[in-house]
Amino acid sequence: MKAPVFAYAKPASLAEVFDCLDGGEGVRLLAGGQSLIPSLNMRLSAPTVLVDINHVSALRGISEAGGVVRIGAMTRHHELATSALIASLLPLIAKAVPHIAHQAIRNRGTIGGSLALADPSTELPACCLALDATIIAANRKGERRIAARDFFLGIYETALAPDDILIAVEFPLPGEDAICGFDELARRHGDYAIVGLAAQGVRKGQTWSSLKLTFFGAGDRPLLAEAAAQAVVFGKGIGAAQAALEDALSPSDDGECSAKTKMHLARVLLGRVVETMESGT
Amino acid sequence: MSVIDQMKGLTFLDRPNSYIGRSVPRPNAKRLVQGRGTYVDDLRMPRLAHVAFLRSPYAHARIRGLATSAAKAAPGVIMVATGADIAKVCTPWVGVLTHFKGLKSAPQYAVAIERACWAGEAICAVVANSRAEAEDAIALIEADLEPLPVTVDMETALDPGTPIIHAELGDNLAFERTLDVGDVDGAFRDAAAVVENTFSVGRHTGVTLEPRSIIADWNEGEEKLTVYHSFQAPHMMQDIVCKHLGLPEASVRVVCKDVGGSFGIKVHIYPDEMATVALAKILKRPVKFIADRLESFVSDIHARDHRVKAKMAVSAEGEILAIEMDDLTGIGPYSVYPRTSAVEANQVVNLTGGPYKHQNYRARARVVFQNKVPMCQYRAVGHPIAVMVTEGLVDQAAAAIGMDPAEIRRRNVIRDDAHPSIAASGIKFEKLSHQQSLEKLLTMMDYDGLRKEQAELRAKGIYRGIGLAAFIEITNPSAAFYGVGGARISAQDGCTLRLNPQGGVIAAIGVTEQGQGTESVIAQVVATAVGVPMSDVRVVTGDTDATPYGGGTWACRAAGIGGEAAWQSGKALRANILEVAAVILQSTPDALDVREGKIVDKATGVERMTLAELGRVAYFRPDTLPADLKPEFVVTRHYVPKDYPFAFTNGMQASYLEVDTDTGFVKLLKHWCVEDCGTVLNPQLVDEQIRGGIVQGIGAALFEHCRYDSQGQMLNGSMADYLVPMSSEMPDMEVGHVVTPTASSELGAKGAGEAGTAGAPAAVINAINDALRPFNAHVSVQPARPEEILRALGKV
């Protein structure tokens, strides 16, 4: 199918973006376009104005300062995958990115687009939660800082207001003795995960001091499994942690996989990811 | 063949410049990889209009009215046509053939008039200056649709109380076939073991890289309709367009330029394509329809959708005594025109148990209507179902009597020296090589070594499985396939060759190319037969005005039938060349040969003259030739198999895989296939056909599935949700050959395009069940999703 008719704007600065966002309800921001363009071509989405933010240079770049890594919203997945800074400071992101779709999609897709879309079965929102990220939104009145745990509200639903643009994400440095783990189960390489897990913790020797377990594909948004993480941290055994997932996750049935099976797979993933983290491999 | 050749032990295929049996590069590959292919959507023509269709959102609905005035007034719109408008120029059709006794179906219109019978059936057409404008206008049509009760589940389609889709047909049973051979009850009574199972093979579809595409152009001045079509059988399309638009044959030309994959999807008559042709006739201008991905999923034919209950009786020594099976399949609301949707179930009856010696067989197949996308022939029609049923039961039987799966097959396959033979279902085999194929396969895969590795890993909690599958494949069909039932689909093919003055050869042939390498094989055969370099041969296919009448490419017929026509034509042209050369050279035809584009002395190979010189004399200085010598440098020969209805091929496949028993995920480690397609004309093309076929078979076994809800809505009709097999998940595939040429033709080539798809699902499912054996778990549902495996393991 062909996209319905829409107007197209190509702002070069945030100020121009804000002007465009004043245009009302039918305005949509075009980042990497890997989800929006297909939805236009399927006529599932019919914006009146498409605001292409690919040429706003203020939205790009990865930097580190004051114990924080800042990633510009228009940073492509491919840039995350090849960044030495990300590999050394945020290895969880480095582990997650190769699971995002296919190379052609990673070449165009952006972190800001992924977070703003808030598809509950995708990798980066879960990583943001596990890493305690802060999402920075801006509008004409100024900037707002939103904790990742307050950002994702439901399927394709975030704390962004209609006149907001997501401009960057900030990650606190994980610190000493930080370890991470990531795995997902997808039918084919590059597919959306049936269920996935991003884990970030601190462990010295044989002792955990903290752990965040974020599941994706297991509910209407990325979900922190806090009781399960506590069970691991306090050494109650993996079985106890797995049992604690029952209350933390709420996967739904789809044609390929039932909710019950997704819960089972989440428990298997938990066991495998924690075992890998504990064995240091 | 000369005495010297015979002394060297050469056959007629080993001519000095033979290309046969060699993996020569494909002449069209360079052009295609450079992006210079000409697919339908690449064509540019003045006044081209675009058609898009409003499709029924309901699986069954009465069309009470279509308010089209807003659409008609929309920008760029040329015409809004209802089913009744189209029916004025295009008559409806009924997809039945007389050799399927009792097969019934209802008249089907290019665009539905009274009722839509599946979600996705076209109910209105909009022609506009662009596709986007046509789609904009479609959104403005107000369709007054009254949803009707749906019949979706094939299991209940025949129950009293289930809505009958076509009331005039009396019930939802399209076709039924039964067969009872030998003493089945006696065999089951006396068996040492009886195994049974219910096999389910899900609906899937073809997903061609290039979607269905057509441009039709009615030229009023010439009274000629030209149809550019992404299609497998141009002459069939020509005949059908003539019939339903009431045009004489001379008024219709069908041209199939490059075609981006077909797999049987592009060999059927589609309502939206016929509507496009009708609109071109009405509007007197070119009209284009390209199916987009979303509408492909709900308008391309679907395949399979079978549920087979089956059982097998075996003796204590592992002898298969009898097979009984009951197949049920749902085909959507219409039997597809003109090949019908009864063929697949009929093949399942014919092929089940086919590789084995048993002579007691009872079968029933029922084909039912339902409100889903129409189902029809797709690569390896019926084969994967028959092979799954047979090979699944063979593995169960082996387990029941404690016999190795390779050994039970060794004991039961029809012996290589027992041919010609007739299977329990009545199908005739000229000559097969099950025994050689099995032994070659077991050696290639190191069967004993793999069994040892499997046992060692099992002790460590790693569960790997080995699955075997014997198969037979229908190729080189005679008129028995369609012609005898009244379908005007050519079983014969012709090849016309023309020698040009510079020594080049043009080969025009009725078989067609969809990416599998047909044109390469024809060029190889022609170059070999005539005696010219392959680079001097140009092959013309896919044009009803330019090629001899033929069937096109389907059912593995292009190389075996088209190749033989090319071979015979090439020999005839060479004979004509030598006749003229002998006069010019004052020699005799017997003493000369054509090799590498030159006339040579046959015994010594010494060059006497070039073909270019011969061409110069014959075309430009015929005055120098004797008055009674008439060079005939255009020849045509035809071929059709006559002594057997089909040239059956055979082979064995094996899969080695690992099941993650915690997640139910399957990792494919390796796949093997040994097949016997007779003379191998191009080893690389055959191997790639086998590999591509295996991938589609794996798709059926593990991934591909058209999922429906209870209201007949397809739930996963997009490339994100419909899982085509992709390279990351595919195993390495090793292909081996046994060569048993068919004596029906001189070349001895049989088909190879469907063997991979025929056997791969059974090999994979058997391997999964072999891996699960320690858990006493079993899957018999395709696709075998992780959830099915976890369910079998009792984990969810």
Side-chain angles (χ1 to χ4, degrees):
Chain A
M1 287 171 79
K2 310 292 179 192
V5 172
F6 53 82
Y8 174 81
K10 197 169 86 176
S13 68
L14 272 179
E16 288 177 27
V17 173
F18 298 147
D19 290 344
C20 294
L21 286 170
D22 287 342
E25 213 158 85
V27 179
R28 287 290 300 271
L29 298 179
L30 173 66
Q34 299 306 293
S35 299
L36 180 55
I37 296 294
S39 82
L40 289 180
N41 283 343
M42 294 183 196
R43 296 197 175 216
L44 294 172
S45 167
T48 51
V49 187
L50 211 53
V51 180
D52 182 348
I53 54 172
N54 281 272
H55 303 272
V56 182
S57 55
L59 298 174
R60 305 189 72 102
I62 305 169
S63 59
E64 187 238 332
V68 169
V69 176
R70 181 184 167 104
I71 303 177
M74 285 304 292
T75 305
R76 318 256 177 213
H77 303 322
H78 170 72
E79 294 173 83
L80 295 175
T82 51
S83 159
L85 204 66
I86 296 293
S88 67
L89 300 180
L90 297 174
L92 178 63
I93 302 268
K95 279 187 176 142
V97 168
H99 292 273
I100 302 173
H102 305 279
Q103 185 65 49
I105 290 171
R106 293 195 292 271
N107 286 344
R108 294 290 305 168
T110 65
I111 188 168
S114 173
L115 301 184
L117 181 67
D119 184 321
S121 59
T122 53
E123 292 82 0
L124 290 177
C127 291
C128 287
L129 227 58
L131 286 163
D132 253 337
T134 299
I135 284 124
I136 301 170
N139 58 30
R140 198 184 289 288
K141 286 170 275 179
E143 288 188 9
R144 274 193 308 142
R145 300 174 62 83
I146 309 163
R149 65 166 62 217
D150 301 324
F151 183 78
F152 301 103
L153 304 179
I155 297 175
Y156 305 128
E157 201 184 334
T158 69
L160 290 172
D163 62 343
D164 278 340
I165 173 173
L166 191 162
I167 58 169
V169 199
E170 288 185 359
F171 296 88
L173 290 180
E176 212 171 319
D177 298 320
I179 56 172
C180 66
F182 185 95
D183 203 0
E184 67 176 50
L185 290 165
R187 289 297 310 281
R188 301 172 304 177
H189 180 81
D191 281 354
Y192 284 115
I194 300 172
V195 61
L197 171 57
Q200 183 74 39
V202 178
R203 179 175 160 93
K204 189 166 189 176
Q206 299 296 305
T207 311
W208 287 98
S209 53
S210 74
L211 176 63
K212 280 207 162 67
L213 299 170
T214 313
F215 284 87
F216 53 101
D220 68 350
R221 68 197 87 179
L223 293 169
L224 275 170
E226 288 174 339
Q230 290 303 302
V232 172
V233 169
F234 293 118
K236 291 182 180 169
I238 203 68
Q242 287 169 325
L245 288 182
E246 202 65 44
D247 295 331
L249 308 182
S250 53
S252 53
D253 288 322
D254 62 49
E256 280 291 319
C257 196
S258 69
K260 189 181 169 197
T261 297
K262 288 181 186 176
M263 280 302 299
H264 167 83
L265 294 174
R267 289 191 291 269
V268 172
L269 267 190
L270 174 63
R272 289 183 177 179
V273 168
V274 169
E275 188 189 345
T276 305
M277 291 170 82
E278 290 184 342
S279 69
T281 51
Chain B
M1 194 178 352
S2 73
V3 177
I4 294 170
D5 283 348
Q6 284 171 355
M7 281 166 62
K8 286 185 195 160
L10 297 174
T11 74
F12 68 96
L13 298 174
D14 300 303
R15 288 179 37 75
N17 63 326
S18 179
Y19 294 92
I20 290 174
R22 297 188 192 160
S23 297
V24 293
R26 299 168 58 166
N28 60 6
K30 197 169 158 189
R31 176 174 63 82
L32 294 172
V33 297
Q34 286 181 346
R36 299 299 300 270
T38 309
Y39 300 91
V40 170
D41 205 27
D42 295 321
L43 296 170
R44 295 288 175 269
M45 48 187 80
R47 299 174 67 244
L48 180 64
H50 302 255
V51 61
F53 294 93
L54 175 65
R55 295 181 182 277
S56 173
Y58 300 109
H60 198 190
R62 187 174 315 286
I63 304 167
R64 286 197 295 222
L66 295 164
T68 59
S69 53
K72 280 176 177 158
V77 169
I78 296 163
M79 184 183 188
V80 177
T82 63
D85 296 331
I86 304 276
K88 285 174 196 157
V89 288
C90 179
T91 57
W93 52 84
V94 182
V96 296
L97 289 171
T98 57
H99 65 319
F100 295 119
K101 283 195 182 61
L103 172 62
K104 61 190 189 226
S105 189
Q108 187 179 6
Y109 288 84
V111 171
I113 297 176
E114 289 176 8
R115 283 184 306 147
C117 289
W118 82 87
E121 183 172 10
I123 57 174
C124 194
V126 175
V127 185
N129 288 325
S130 73
R131 171 80 184 218
E133 286 170 322
E135 289 180 10
D136 286 342
I138 278 175
L140 301 174
I141 297 172
E142 284 175 43
D144 180 7
L145 303 175
E146 174 195 351
L148 298 171
V150 293
T151 298
V152 175
D153 184 1
M154 63 186 184
E155 293 283 356
T156 57
L158 300 177
D159 292 353
T162 298
I164 295 168
I165 297 175
H166 306 293
E168 70 275 23
L169 299 181
D171 57 26
N172 288 323
L173 183 67
F175 178 64
E176 178 167 11
R177 182 183 168 197
T178 57
L179 195 65
D180 199 344
V181 180
D183 178 14
V184 174
D185 294 330
F188 275 100
R189 194 178 53 237
D190 301 338
V194 172
V195 292
E196 57 191 306
N197 206 344
T198 299
F199 300 89
S200 163
V201 177
R203 243 176 198 256
H204 50 99
T205 183
V207 198
T208 54
L209 201 54
E210 180 207 22
R212 290 189 297 108
S213 306
I214 190 167
I215 295 176
D217 184 11
W218 173 253
N219 185 321
E220 183 82 347
E222 285 188 320
E223 295 202 344
K224 184 150 183 176
L225 183 72
T226 306
V227 179
Y228 300 92
H229 200 187
S230 180
F231 204 62
Q232 298 171 241
H235 281 108
M236 182 194 103
M237 180 67 177
Q238 179 196 32
D239 193 78
I240 283 169
V241 168
C242 288
K243 179 173 177 184
H244 293 282
L245 271 77
L247 294 169
E249 209 163 45
S251 285
V252 179
R253 176 185 178 201
V254 177
V255 181
C256 302
K257 291 175 178 273
D258 290 313
V259 176
S262 52
F263 317 119
I265 298 295
K266 297 174 181 171
V267 77
H268 310 294
I269 292 303
Y270 287 93
D272 45 22
E273 295 178 5
M274 289 300 280
T276 305
V277 175
L279 286 163
K281 178 83 167 39
I282 294 167
L283 293 168
K284 303 180 176 60
R285 63 190 290 177
V287 179
K288 175 159 84 171
F289 170 65
I290 308 281
D292 74 27
R293 245 343 133 187
L294 299 180
E295 65 186 341
S296 288
F297 277 111
V298 294
S299 63
D300 288 8
I301 58 113
H302 289 177
R304 320 301 188 223
D305 207 1
H306 289 252
R307 184 278 289 142
V308 186
K309 291 178 181 165
K311 59 181 184 172
M312 177 182 280
V314 281
S315 73
E317 294 74 37
E319 187 191 351
I320 298 171
L321 302 173
I323 297 175
E324 182 171 358
M325 73 97 173
D326 180 19
D327 179 23
L328 178 67
T329 180
I331 58 162
Y334 297 101
S335 170
V336 174
Y337 188 62
R339 290 164 194 255
T340 85
S341 304
V343 175
E344 180 150 275
N346 194 56
Q347 307 267 64
V348 174
V349 171
N350 283 341
L351 299 171
T352 297
Y356 300 112
K357 288 182 285 193
H358 70 99
Q359 288 295 326
N360 302 305
Y361 180 43
R362 183 181 294 145
R364 178 173 72 155
R366 285 172 302 161
V367 177
V368 301
F369 294 117
Q370 55 186 175
N371 296 110
K372 288 185 178 179
V373 171
M375 192 284 283
C376 202
Q377 283 78 286
Y378 159 74
R379 195 174 197 172
V381 188
H383 294 66
I385 297 124
V387 177
M388 183 68 254
V389 169
T390 309
E391 298 301 297
L393 290 175
V394 167
D395 267 18
Q396 285 180 253
I401 59 167
M403 186 174 280
D404 180 84
E407 182 58 27
I408 194 170
R409 288 175 172 83
R410 192 176 277 133
R411 292 186 183 198
N412 284 285
V413 289
I414 300 173
R415 296 174 53 86
D416 294 357
D417 61 8
H419 298 289
S421 64
I422 299 178
S425 70
I427 52 178
K428 294 176 180 140
F429 305 124
E430 178 197 2
K431 191 156 173 47
L432 301 178
S433 60
H434 291 303
Q435 290 176 299
Q436 286 178 78
S437 299
L438 177 61
E439 297 313 322
K440 184 163 186 174
L441 178 87
L442 297 176
T443 305
M444 263 168 63
M445 65 191 288
D446 184 18
Y447 183 75
D448 295 336
L450 277 189
R451 284 285 177 211
K452 191 160 161 282
E453 180 179 274
Q454 179 189 33
E456 287 165 6
L457 289 172
R458 203 170 270 182
K460 294 179 194 166
I462 294 169
Y463 296 94
R464 291 191 173 178
I466 301 165
L468 299 177
F471 65 87
I472 51 173
E473 195 215 323
I474 292 172
T475 81
N476 294 5
S478 72
F481 215 156
Y482 292 114
V484 297
R488 293 163 60 85
I489 300 169
S490 173
Q492 65 80 49
D493 261 88
C495 177
T496 296
L497 297 181
R498 182 179 88 208
L499 179 72
N500 282 341
Q502 291 185 22
V505 176
I506 306 285
I509 191 156
V511 294
T512 51
E513 163 85 59
Q514 292 93 37
Q516 66 275 76
T518 304
E519 291 178 356
S520 306
V521 167
I522 298 306
Q524 285 177 269
V525 171
V526 168
T528 303
V530 177
V532 296
M534 226 179 109
S535 54
D536 285 352
V537 179
R538 183 170 284 265
V539 179
V540 176
T541 63
D543 186 339
T544 55
D545 272 7
T547 73
Y549 206 88
T553 297
W554 43 272
C556 288
R557 66 187 300 283
I561 293 175
E564 182 69 10
W567 175 253
Q568 296 298 341
S569 195
K571 286 203 313 178
L573 179 60
R574 175 156 49 104
N576 291 2
I577 289 168
L578 291 177
E579 191 189 338
V580 178
V583 171
I584 296 172
L585 297 169
Q586 298 181 337
S587 178
T588 62
D590 284 352
L592 300 170
D593 197 5
V594 187
R595 295 177 191 167
E596 290 293 329
K598 299 175 184 72
I599 314 293
V600 299
D601 183 272
K602 193 172 194 174
T604 64
V606 170
E607 179 182 332
R608 299 292 304 276
M609 74 189 295
T610 62
L611 275 182
E613 175 60 10
L614 181 81
R616 185 189 68 81
V617 174
Y619 283 106
F620 308 126
R621 294 302 308 274
D623 55 308
T624 64
L625 296 175
D628 60 343
L629 182 67
K630 296 189 172 66
E632 197 56 73
F633 289 164
V634 174
V635 298
T636 300
R637 290 293 182 274
H638 293 86
Y639 174 70
V640 65
K642 279 189 174 160
D643 45 359
Y644 283 87
F646 309 101
F648 272 95
T649 71
N650 67 279
M652 293 275 171
Q653 291 193 33
S655 167
Y656 188 46
L657 53 75
E658 188 172 310
V659 177
D660 181 334
T661 55
D662 288 327
T663 63
F665 274 55
V666 171
K667 184 174 173 53
L668 301 167
L669 301 170
K670 185 97 192 226
H671 201 102
W672 298 265
C673 177
V674 172
E675 66 79 51
D676 184 348
C677 66
T679 305
V680 176
L681 299 175
N682 183 322
Q684 187 178 19
L685 287 179
V686 170
D687 287 1
E688 295 312 322
Q689 279 295 305
I690 298 295
R691 290 195 178 93
I694 289 169
V695 168
Q696 284 187 306
I698 289 171
L702 297 179
F703 298 106
E704 297 183 66
H705 195 200
C706 299
R707 297 196 316 264
Y708 278 85
D709 70 10
S710 62
Q711 293 306 301
Q713 295 290 337
M714 187 177 168
L715 298 171
N716 61 331
S718 79
M719 292 300 277
D721 299 315
Y722 180 91
L723 308 180
V724 292
M726 290 171 72
S727 56
S728 299
E729 285 70 40
M730 291 303 109
D732 192 22
M733 291 171 264
E734 210 175 306
V735 183
H737 306 277
V738 173
V739 176
T740 309
T742 172
S744 297
S745 68
E746 259 183 61
L747 276 182
K750 300 182 254 188
E754 299 171 276
T757 311
V764 169
I765 298 293
N766 279 354
I768 290 171
N769 287 325
D770 189 48
L772 297 180
R773 200 147 284 133
F775 303 95
N776 204 20
H778 195 97
V779 295
S780 44
V781 173
Q782 289 179 47
R785 295 174 296 126
E787 187 162 54
E788 297 291 347
I789 292 170
L790 289 173
R791 213 171 270 151
L793 286 163
K795 295 199 173 181
V796 296

